[in-house]
């Protein structure tokens, strides 16, 4: 159910009164800068036209009630406090509680709200449906309680908040969900968080295709994710121990500011064991690709954009070990189908790829992926859920109804 009139009717039928506001919180695709946000390194995601739509009405007590029109997610209701008991692991309501608890800890006693929501962001597909949910649940509390905050502060707070579900996530998803602007990707820098628009030129189309394998942020993918964050920290420690003139160098950003990528890869190769050496090489080379991608986008150079995507995929597959055979197959099919390049996007181990092509090639690319990937798997029903041209979209909005 995405039609606003229907959603308003559902709200009024459930709560006996019409909703006051609508929140729209987008999903995202990451163009470049994968698995480096939690190392404090800059990334370049883009908000997409798929989003969570949430209608709400303030309450005067500390209760939050959220009904979801998606059948697999039943209604959740809880009291706001600085210590909210989580639902069982994997429950969708934990993203709501994550936002609520973080805001209650930061701002004290809060009034709640009644809501009805829906989402057309495919779940567990690497398009950040869960961060969109977290942001969508936070906005009514900000509005109802007139909290003194801004987008940057909120993005930082909600990035930490999501650790409530047990993932040691970085801050990319919440930042782009809140800070994106239409027609542009978003460069996100960390420590402290900063956001700036990076326009996507008309000559570049972005196609998203799902591998049809779910990557549950609260399931198996979480263990891999948390392991990688640990490996990155260990690799950093070992490299720092071997850096001469260490003064002021204590993080990935300060390391990269002092040495170029090739020097660091060489250093990593000398001081790290096999796995850590490869993880470190991914981090360092991916950071360099973010800078290259900005230049390529600014120049509207679709061929270079494609090369960068291909290199990133190879690095995520071979060094970071977060690809799957389906994601590899999809990226190969995309390139064979006319994309200038493609790579897995999001945390990996399932989810989607992102491909770049000239706009006039998008239709042929989609046809080619349909024939090569989805038809053989009898997965052409609701194909636009899995395969679509992503439009660079604006960040979260809150409007009166
Ligand atoms: C998930 C996390 C992000 C980021 C990506 C990988 O989406 O939520 O913070 O680390 O994985 O780039």
């Amino acid at each position: 159910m995405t039609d606003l009139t229907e959603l308003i009717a559902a709200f009024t039928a459930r709560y006996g009164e019409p909703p006051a506001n609508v929140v729209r919180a987008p999903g995202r695709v990451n163009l470049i800068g994968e698995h480096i946000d939690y190392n404090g390194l800059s990334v370049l995601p883009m908000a997409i036209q798929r989003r969570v739509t949430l209608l709400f009405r303030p309450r005067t007590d500390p209760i939050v009630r959220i009904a979801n029109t998606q059948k697999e997610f039943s209604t959740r209701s809880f009291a706001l406090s600085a210590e909210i008991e989580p639902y069982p692991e994997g429950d969708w309501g934990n993203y709501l509680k994550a936002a609520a608890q973080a805001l209650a800890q930061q701002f004290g006693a809060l009034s709640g709200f009644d809501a009805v929501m829906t989402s057309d962001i495919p779940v567990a597909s690497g398009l950040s449906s869960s961060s969109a949910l977290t942001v969508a649940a936070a906005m009514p509390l900000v509005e109802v309680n007139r909290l003194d905050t801004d987008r940057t502060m909120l993005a930082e707070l909600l990035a930490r908040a999501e650790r409530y579900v047990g993932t040691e996530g970085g801050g990319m998803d919440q930042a782009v969900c809140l800070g994106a602007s239409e027609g542009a990707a978003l460069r996100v820098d960390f420590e402290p968080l900063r956001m700036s628009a990076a326009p996507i030129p008309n000559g570049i189309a972005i196609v998203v295709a799902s591998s049809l394998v779910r990557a549950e942020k609260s399931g198996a993918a979480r263990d891999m994710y948390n392991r990688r964050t640990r490996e990155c920290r260990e690799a950093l420690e070992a490299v720092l121990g071997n850096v001469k003139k260490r003064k002021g160098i204590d993080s990935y950003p300060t390391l990269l500011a002092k040495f170029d990528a090739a020097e660091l890869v060489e250093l990593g190769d000398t001081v790290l064991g096999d796995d850590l050496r490869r993880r470190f090489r991914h981090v360092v080379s991916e950071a360099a690709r973010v800078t290259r991608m900005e230049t390529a986008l600014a120049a509207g150079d679709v061929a270079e954009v494609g090369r960068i995507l291909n290199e990133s995929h190879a690095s995520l597959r071979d060094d970071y070990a977060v690809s799957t055979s389906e994601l590899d197959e999809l990226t190969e099919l995309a390139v064979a189908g006319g994309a200038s390049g493609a790579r897995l996007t999001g945390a990996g181990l399932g989810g989607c790829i992102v491909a770049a092509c000239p706009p006039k090639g998008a239709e042929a690319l989609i046809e080619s992926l349909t024939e090569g990937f989805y038809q053989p798997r009898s997965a052409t029903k609701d194909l636009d859920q899995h395969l679509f041209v992503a439009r660079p979209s604006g960040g979260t909005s809150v409007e009166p109804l």
Side-chain angles (χ1 to χ4, degrees):
M1 190 196 294
T2 47
D3 181 71
L4 192 60
T5 321
E6 274 179 53
L7 209 54
I8 293 175
F11 185 104
T12 311
R14 172 172 286 268
Y15 298 114
E17 280 181 291
N21 295 78
V22 54
V23 179
R24 296 185 175 92
R28 64 101 185 89
V29 65
N30 188 16
L31 297 183
I32 198 73
E34 212 65 89
H35 281 285
I36 62 171
D37 61 345
Y38 49 78
N39 294 314
L41 295 167
S42 310
V43 294
L44 202 65
M46 171 184 121
I48 60 175
Q49 68 272 28
R50 302 289 167 104
R51 60 198 180 198
V52 170
T53 306
L54 180 145
L55 309 184
F56 73 92
R57 188 171 182 87
R59 294 176 63 100
T60 47
D61 61 13
I63 301 298
V64 169
R65 289 194 291 180
I66 304 188
N68 193 327
T69 64
Q70 296 163 284
K71 288 194 190 63
E72 64 271 41
F73 303 116
S74 55
T75 302
R76 293 287 173 260
S77 171
F78 57 90
L80 291 161
S81 83
E83 287 295 329
I84 306 177
E85 180 73 20
Y87 293 115
E89 194 170 303
D91 192 293
W92 78 280
N94 281 335
Y95 291 102
L96 315 172
K97 286 187 167 179
Q101 177 175 285
L103 289 169
Q105 283 175 357
Q106 179 79 22
F107 294 100
L110 300 174
S111 297
F113 61 93
D114 288 330
V116 168
M117 61 152 285
T118 193
S119 171
D120 63 355
I121 311 169
V123 172
S125 60
L127 299 178
S128 212
S129 61
S130 46
S131 295
L133 186 57
T134 306
V135 171
M139 297 317 283
L141 294 174
V142 172
E143 288 294 310
V144 170
N145 297 284
R146 299 187 195 287
L147 300 181
D148 181 19
T149 178
D150 60 28
R151 298 259 158 156
T152 307
M153 187 176 159
L154 213 48
E156 277 185 320
L157 186 114
L158 294 177
R160 286 197 304 277
E162 260 195 51
R163 298 189 185 160
Y164 184 87
V165 301
T167 312
E168 303 279 322
M172 163 169 72
D173 304 342
Q174 300 77 9
V176 66
C177 184
L178 282 156
S181 43
E182 218 171 305
L186 188 75
R187 180 185 163 118
V188 185
D189 301 301
F190 300 96
E191 296 164 21
L193 184 70
R194 279 149 295 150
M195 304 187 268
S196 56
I200 304 278
N202 291 335
I204 297 177
I206 305 294
V207 172
V208 171
S210 165
S211 68
L212 305 175
V213 177
R214 287 168 72 96
E216 298 284 358
K217 218 179 185 179
S218 53
R222 183 182 71 188
D223 299 337
M224 169 282 286
Y225 188 91
N226 290 345
R227 199 170 332 120
R228 291 290 177 275
T229 62
R230 277 199 306 277
E231 288 171 334
C232 287
R233 281 198 298 270
E234 280 173 40
L236 177 66
E237 282 310 311
V239 168
L240 287 179
N242 284 276
V243 166
K244 294 193 200 76
K245 293 188 258 147
R246 232 194 115 157
K247 213 160 160 277
I249 306 179
D250 57 359
S251 63
Y252 279 100
T254 49
L255 199 57
L256 277 148
K258 249 318 188 268
F259 299 95
D260 66 31
E263 274 177 294
L264 287 175
V265 167
E266 211 181 299
L267 182 58
D269 284 351
T270 345
V271 304
L272 300 170
D274 194 44
D275 278 357
L276 291 193
R277 179 175 68 82
R278 290 186 297 129
R279 308 295 183 254
F280 185 75
R281 184 164 62 188
H282 168 72
V283 172
V284 166
S285 63
E286 185 75 356
R289 284 187 285 273
V290 174
T291 315
R292 265 173 69 203
M293 182 64 94
E294 279 186 293
T295 312
L297 283 178
D301 186 346
V302 69
E304 170 72 351
V305 168
R307 274 192 294 277
I308 300 167
L309 293 178
N310 289 339
E311 286 171 30
S312 174
H313 186 75
S315 178
L316 288 159
R317 182 191 59 210
D318 303 335
D319 282 349
Y320 220 64
V322 292
S323 190
T324 62
S325 56
E326 292 85 359
L327 290 164
D328 293 344
E329 185 185 341
L330 260 180
T331 53
E332 283 157 27
L333 286 169
V335 171
S340 62
R343 67 178 199 85
L344 73 85
T345 184
L349 291 194
C352 290
I353 66 151
V354 58
C357 65
K360 59 177 177 356
E363 205 174 309
L365 174 58
I366 282 179
E367 260 168 43
S368 168
L369 290 173
T370 305
E371 275 168 29
F373 193 84
Y374 298 99
Q375 277 170 4
R377 289 169 172 77
S378 307
T380 46
K381 189 169 165 268
D382 296 329
L383 191 57
D384 64 346
Q385 273 294 303
H386 307 307
L387 179 61
F388 57 93
V389 176
R391 280 201 314 275
S393 305
T396 299
S397 64
V398 184
E399 283 163 21
L401 283 167

